[in-house]
Amino acid sequence: MTAEQQVPNVDEGKPAGGWSEFFEAVKPLVSAATKIVHEERLGTKTTMRVGGAARIYAEPASVADLQVLLREARAWGGAVLMLGRGSNVIVPDEGVNGLVVSLAHQAWSSFEPREDGRVAVGAGLRLKNLCGLAAKAGLVGFEFLEGIPGNIGGALRMNAGAMGAWMFDVVEDVQLMTRAGEVRTLTQAAMHVGYRHCEELHQGIALGALLRPATRSDAETVKRQMDAYSRKRHESQPREPSAGCIFKNPPGNSAGRLIDESGLKGARVGDAEVSPTHANFIVNRGSATAADVIALVRRVRARVREVKGVDLEPEVLLYGKEWKDVL
């Protein structure tokens, strides 16, 4: 997962009166600590480094401010999307016709160990920081998340996985907000979770989670395991800007191997390239556009279908759109 913050399905269309009017109406309703911007470029906020602007971009500083944003967007008829650390998404070149909300404010980055060994975390906490703080506390079980460029919210939304483990392996419960602004807590058992999927977070917005470590150990032992995973990731994955794995692994197969065996490593459209290091990564060689990436995704899918008879399904999200509309 690559992990990316939850991206709820949204209704198409701009708010009644237009985005400029929406911005002017909503800005006075949120606290001064909440960042809200009209026409904020998103490319630099993503790991792929492509894409246009959000009509409105906001970083709420509290639950109350997030509720205001959702309430007003609903009243005005505007679409709302969530953005985390910007991994696992391709932002279209024309940008996003919606209110993009990011839990990037420090208020959402909490890490609170409990006496019983569990730890409460905020949805905005970076996975890298979770791993580092857990290691210092001697908490075992989060090491597989080391190196995934996302945050807790995105890892929950996509059930992030690596090294044979999955995000929901360590989740006890999740606090979320419905699109109507209601705050709810759901146990792991009550949620519908699968491969790169959590049904409740397609519409709901993760606010935080209660995690349970596998066991306790000394900090040095946990750090050694994290370092081993980090080395493995660096040896097998490209360093250039990317959105993480582009395609889901078909049942019983490997998307990267299928792409490699189809002769596609190094294939390019503009500055978008199938990585020579790992064929399931498309990297940005410097000035790729979202259109370049999408065209290369089409080319890879067509070639793998022709050579291997397999239809690869994108794992990355086409932000604000549906892949079926462009493939």
Side-chain angles (χ1 to χ4, degrees):
M1 143 156 261
T2 3
E4 177 44 46
Q5 177 61 300
Q6 59 277 7
V7 182
N9 293 328
V10 297
D11 296 327
E12 293 291 329
K14 64 182 181 180
W19 289 110
S20 296
E21 291 78 4
F22 174 81
F23 174 75
E24 295 299 332
V26 173
K27 188 172 183 179
L29 302 179
V30 295
S31 70
T34 285
K35 175 181 178 179
I36 182 166
V37 182
H38 186 32
E39 292 296 325
E40 176 85 338
R41 293 199 65 82
L42 299 178
T44 57
K45 301 180 188 298
T46 73
T47 58
M48 193 74 191
R49 300 289 189 265
V50 301
R55 302 292 83 83
I56 307 293
Y57 173 82
E59 295 178 0
S62 65
V63 167
D65 280 354
L66 177 57
Q67 288 171 322
V68 167
L69 291 168
L70 294 178
R71 182 192 71 213
E72 292 303 309
R74 188 181 184 91
W76 283 67
V80 179
L81 297 91
M82 299 298 297
L83 182 70
R85 297 292 302 177
S87 59
N88 205 51
V89 298
I90 305 297
V91 177
D93 293 321
E94 64 270 25
V96 179
N97 191 31
L99 163 64
V100 172
V101 177
S102 174
L103 302 187
H105 191 280
Q106 189 60 32
W108 304 100
S109 297
S110 58
F111 177 91
E112 301 171 0
R114 298 186 175 180
E115 290 185 2
D116 60 8
R118 298 179 299 173
V119 57
V121 295
L125 180 67
R126 295 176 63 184
L127 297 179
K128 181 178 181 63
N129 292 348
L130 166 66
C131 292
L133 292 167
K136 288 181 182 179
L139 302 178
V140 177
F142 308 122
E143 302 91 299
F144 72 98
L145 295 167
E146 167 65 25
I148 296 177
N151 60 16
I152 291 293
L156 293 167
R157 162 65 177 78
M158 295 296 292
N159 190 21
M163 311 300 171
W166 301 91
M167 183 66 203
F168 271 86
D169 292 343
V170 297
V171 170
E172 189 154 307
D173 62 47
V174 174
Q175 186 182 56
L176 60 84
M177 184 179 291
T178 68
R179 293 296 299 278
E182 176 191 3
V183 177
R184 303 175 62 195
T185 299
L186 298 179
T187 65
Q188 190 258 26
M191 303 183 78
H192 300 83
V193 178
Y195 175 57
R196 300 292 190 259
H197 172 79
C198 175
E199 184 175 326
E200 286 74 14
L201 295 179
H202 276 270
Q203 287 291 334
I205 299 166
L207 304 180
L210 183 63
L211 308 181
R212 57 175 183 275
T215 184
R216 286 182 177 271
S217 184
D218 62 279
E220 187 57 37
T221 299
V222 181
K223 182 67 165 56
R224 279 198 301 271
Q225 183 61 67
M226 284 174 50
D227 289 344
Y229 283 157
S230 182
R231 284 192 301 272
K232 183 176 180 181
R233 193 182 302 275
H234 276 78
E235 290 166 0
S236 63
Q237 295 183 4
R239 298 296 93 210
E240 299 87 356
S242 78
C245 288
I246 289 288
F247 298 101
K248 296 179 181 178
N249 288 323
N253 214 326
S254 162
R257 183 171 59 249
L258 291 169
I259 297 166
D260 189 3
E261 292 175 354
S262 299
L264 287 161
K265 273 189 174 180
R268 290 181 71 148
V269 174
D271 258 8
E273 179 186 54
V274 176
S275 172
T277 303
H278 191 312
N280 200 19
F281 283 68
I282 289 177
V283 298
N284 183 348
R285 284 294 182 186
S287 57
T289 64
D292 292 338
V293 177
I294 293 168
L296 190 51
V297 168
R298 287 197 200 102
R299 180 176 168 187
V300 169
R301 290 186 80 240
R303 180 63 176 166
V304 171
R305 184 186 304 118
E306 176 188 356
V307 174
K308 295 293 184 178
V310 176
D311 277 317
L312 293 178
E313 180 182 350
E315 177 176 315
V316 298
L317 303 171
L318 186 58
Y319 199 61
K321 292 189 173 184
E322 298 287 342
W323 281 110
K324 63 181 177 61
D325 295 331
V326 300
L327 294 179

